[in-house]
Amino acid sequence: MKTVKKPNKWKHVVYLILALAMLVYALPLISFDPWAGWVSLFGAVWAGFAFLVIGAHLHFLLGVNEEKQRELDKIRRAKLREWELKWQEEGGRGQSV
């Protein structure tokens, strides 16, 4: 049986730090002046995406989905057992022919 590998959280920590650094560097440079037009809109959208990236990595690091992952693992194991039984039944019929 396959062993389930624990997810490597270091990658998410590094990406979170990089996203935070980009945001800290860029926020003072972005013009949110209402008369800036497209520049202001681009800055707001860019900052929004940066916050989404940061939120996604925090969500993973805080383990909000651990219970959901356990449920998915249960379903995956049940399907594997089902396929094994089906395969054994089909293999047994094939031998008697």
Side-chain angles (χ1 to χ4, degrees):
M1 180 169 254
K2 243 182 176 180
T3 59
V4 178
K5 202 166 98 173
K6 285 199 171 196
N8 190 359
K9 292 188 177 188
W10 285 107
K11 175 178 70 170
H12 294 282
V13 170
V14 170
Y15 291 153
L16 175 67
I17 291 170
L18 286 173
L20 281 169
M22 285 188 335
L23 193 62
V24 167
Y25 176 76
L27 269 181
L29 302 175
I30 297 173
S31 172
F32 291 107
D33 184 20
W35 306 109
W38 291 107
V39 174
S40 181
L41 179 65
F42 175 79
V45 170
W46 187 89
F49 278 124
F51 282 120
L52 281 174
V53 169
I54 290 167
H57 288 294
L58 281 175
H59 181 77
F60 181 83
L61 289 172
L62 295 175
V64 178
N65 280 338
E66 285 182 14
E67 185 176 328
K68 188 175 184 180
Q69 187 62 43
R70 279 189 229 117
E71 286 294 320
L72 289 173
D73 288 340
K74 276 187 198 176
I75 293 169
R76 202 172 292 122
R77 284 191 299 270
K79 279 193 176 258
L80 181 63
R81 273 188 253 120
E82 212 176 281
W83 290 340
E84 285 176 348
L85 288 173
K86 195 174 189 180
W87 181 73
Q88 287 174 354
E89 288 175 0
E90 288 176 3
R93 280 188 266 153
Q95 291 174 354
S96 64
V97 173

